[in-house]
Amino acid sequence: MFGWGRKRAVEKRAKLLARMVTLITHGLKSKTYEQFVASFSNPGEEPDAFDRSNHELHFQMRISPTCWYDATASYPLRESPWVSLHGGGDDFGVLITVAPSAGITVGLHLASGQRAGRDARAAIHSLHTIPGFRSFAAIERELGIR
């Protein structure tokens, strides 16, 4: 029984992440860097002068006391903006990238010796079932890399 409750919680979290990613994607497409900063900065955590000069924003989406996503948004000059979300806690190791020109990709990204969070693989699986979310491996296959 415990496993089913955990699975439902992960699926619920994946749906919440999907809604947030949709909101972020819309923001990337429709907002300037300054407008995006005003919409997505955590209170009191606005970008410093260095990040502003690089057109970057760092913010955190706290899903629960044991699960969060650290985000980096970038509005590079003469390129499309993008966002990367790195899971922490229960979703440690989940990497979501969002680029309006390339879509949404989800995968597991761990440094050597790191262990994935207890729900990371289940979260990735749940996100892959949501339309619009693709795996890094699927993109590599399409490009002929794998």
Side-chain angles (χ1 to χ4, degrees):
M1 289 296 217
F2 178 74
W4 286 107
R6 185 115 216 106
K7 181 179 178 188
R8 277 194 293 275
V10 171
E11 289 171 350
K12 183 178 175 183
R13 192 164 64 232
K15 289 178 184 176
L16 174 63
L17 277 167
R19 287 192 302 273
M20 290 303 300
V21 167
T22 300
L23 183 64
I24 289 169
T25 302
H26 176 72
L28 288 173
K29 290 178 181 179
S30 64
K31 297 180 184 302
T32 65
Y33 170 73
E34 290 300 328
Q35 292 168 330
F36 194 87
V37 166
S39 296
F40 289 95
S41 288
N42 294 120
E45 301 281 331
E46 292 79 13
D48 60 20
F50 180 77
D51 285 341
R52 282 193 184 276
S53 69
N54 287 330
H55 290 112
E56 286 188 359
L57 169 66
H58 304 279
F59 59 97
Q60 186 175 79
M61 296 183 333
R62 184 154 291 275
I63 308 298
S64 74
T66 62
C67 182
W68 60 91
Y69 281 79
D70 293 317
T72 300
S74 180
Y75 274 74
L77 297 175
R78 295 178 290 284
E79 292 181 36
S80 296
W82 56 266
V83 172
S84 66
L85 304 162
H86 297 266
D90 293 341
D91 285 0
F92 182 77
V94 175
L95 174 63
I96 303 170
T97 61
V98 181
S101 60
I104 304 164
T105 52
V106 181
L108 189 64
H109 180 76
L110 297 166
S112 179
Q114 289 182 324
R115 292 182 44 169
R118 71 179 185 170
D119 295 336
R121 286 176 174 72
I124 291 167
H125 177 74
S126 291
L127 287 167
H128 284 163
T129 65
I130 297 172
F133 285 76
R134 301 171 51 189
S135 71
F136 291 107
I139 292 171
E140 289 173 343
R141 280 192 301 275
E142 287 174 13
L143 296 172
I145 297 171
R146 280 188 179 218

